[in-house]
Amino acid sequence: VQADGTDGNCVTFVLHDEDHTLGNSLRYMVMKNPDVEFCGYCITHPSESKINFRIQTRGSLPAVEPFRKGLNDLMGVCQHVLNTFEVRLLPEELRGLF
């Protein structure tokens, strides 16, 4: 969902069935991008399971690019944590089941 009165550099994404777990982690990953001027999220209401995730970029970079990169980077971090867990903590016969 694009914010009213702006161009593609300032966009609010509505993420359904999500909460602070994804919101805060994704915000951290997106803010690591030096082209991002602002990134934040809010939970619209405690009884609703959706978040409004807003990104504003500098220059001509569309906001959807750091959003995609943030999601991909976060998936990579999660995969690394899972792999490390499997190698170090799980017995060999249970590895690969998760």
Side-chain angles (χ1 to χ4, degrees):
V1 178
Q2 188 163 334
D4 291 336
T6 63
D7 54 16
N9 293 357
C10 185
V11 177
T12 300
F13 302 92
V14 179
L15 307 174
H16 296 275
D17 298 322
E18 297 298 343
D19 58 15
H20 291 289
T21 304
L22 178 66
N24 197 36
S25 302
L26 184 57
R27 184 199 59 77
Y28 173 78
M29 298 305 281
V30 170
M31 281 304 297
K32 290 172 64 173
N33 187 332
D35 292 326
V36 173
E37 187 171 8
F38 172 82
C39 180
Y41 74 96
C42 68
I43 306 264
T44 56
H45 190 274
S47 66
E48 294 182 29
S49 59
K50 71 176 182 178
I51 62 176
N52 291 332
F53 195 87
R54 187 172 182 90
I55 299 175
Q56 182 174 344
T57 60
R58 295 180 175 93
S60 62
L61 180 69
V64 71
E65 294 304 319
F67 182 68
R68 282 188 187 134
K69 182 175 179 351
L71 286 170
N72 287 330
D73 291 349
L74 186 57
M75 286 187 342
V77 168
C78 291
Q79 189 60 52
H80 173 74
V81 169
L82 180 61
N83 291 344
T84 302
F85 173 77
E86 287 180 341
V87 167
R88 296 194 180 160
L89 298 178
L90 285 180
E92 193 167 331
E93 61 272 6
L94 293 179
R95 290 183 193 163
L97 295 178
F98 293 97

